[in-house]
């Protein structure tokens, strides 16, 4: 299915580009999140007219993402969780939890979908987590999982 991108999407394409993607991806992600339009002749002409405006908006988003990146990049956040004697957690640390932690600590609103742990956080220790703030701006934070108490 052919679509026209309304914003830069990482590993997919840039603004105004006509790309061919699978129907499900187009409908459920790109079009649903207003990142693309169906590639009809009318839509292609419309996007050509507003391409400069879209680029300007994308640059504003990128600048905002860079400011957030400067605030949170290389920061360490402490999470206290219940654990076993073997330093394994009951459950795991999820992206929603990390987003809430960043919100409480830095007053920065980050969607859980932007947070990509390098590996699942299911034990005590320090873990690197990548935060995708924009298609070209990433930040890396450290999650320090400490024991709230040990249950036997």
């Amino acid at each position: 299915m052919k679509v026209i991108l309304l914003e830069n999407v990482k590993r997919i394409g840039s603004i105004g580009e006509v790309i061919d993607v699978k129907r499900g991806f187009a409908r459920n992600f790109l079009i649903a999140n207003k990142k693309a339009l169906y590639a009809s002749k009318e839509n292609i002409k419309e996007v050509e007219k507003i391409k400069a405006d879209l680029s300007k908006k994308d640059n504003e988003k990128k600048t905002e993402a860079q400011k957030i990146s400067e605030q949170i990049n290389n920061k360490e956040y402490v999470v206290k969780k219940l654990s076993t004697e073997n330093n394994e957690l009951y459950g795991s640390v999820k992206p929603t939890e990390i987003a809430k932690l960043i919100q409480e600590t830095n007053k920065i609103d980050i969607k859980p979908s932007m947070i990509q742990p390098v590996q699942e956080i299911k034990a005590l220790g320090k873990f690197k987590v990548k935060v995708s703030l924009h298609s070209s701006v990433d930040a890396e934070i450290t999650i320090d999982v400490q024991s709230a108490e040990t249950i036997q």
Side-chain angles (χ1 to χ4, degrees), residues 9-122:
V9 182
K10 197 179 224 172
R11 290 188 226 111
I12 306 291
S14 56
I15 296 173
E17 208 174 309
V18 178
I19 57 167
D20 202 11
V21 293
K22 293 190 176 181
R23 285 180 191 271
F25 182 63
R27 275 198 221 112
N28 299 332
F29 179 71
L30 293 175
I31 294 170
N33 293 324
K34 295 180 175 57
K35 293 180 185 285
L37 289 172
Y38 291 108
S40 66
K41 287 179 183 173
E42 299 83 38
N43 283 345
I44 291 171
K45 287 177 186 171
E46 191 67 32
V47 169
E48 288 301 319
K49 288 179 192 171
I50 59 172
K51 195 172 183 179
D53 193 37
L54 290 171
S55 294
K56 188 175 153 190
K57 283 181 185 173
D58 190 60
N59 284 338
E60 288 170 8
K61 285 181 185 177
K62 185 176 179 180
T63 306
E64 185 66 31
Q66 284 171 331
K67 285 179 189 172
I68 292 171
S69 176
E70 287 169 12
Q71 290 178 331
I72 68 170
N73 200 25
N74 299 323
K75 286 255 171 84
E76 188 172 296
Y77 296 92
V78 177
V79 176
K80 294 209 180 273
K81 289 287 232 174
L82 294 176
S83 64
T84 64
E85 299 171 344
N86 305 348
N87 294 338
E88 295 171 352
L89 299 180
Y90 288 103
S92 62
V93 179
K94 303 273 187 236
T96 49
E97 237 176 306
I98 297 169
K100 214 177 278 184
L101 190 66
I102 293 171
Q103 172 65 35
E104 290 167 4
T105 310
N106 294 68
K107 305 287 185 264
I108 297 170
D109 198 24
I110 290 181
K111 294 182 184 113
S113 60
M114 295 173 160
I115 297 170
Q116 299 152 351
V118 176
Q119 66 203 54
E120 270 196 286
I121 303 174
K122 291 187 166 189

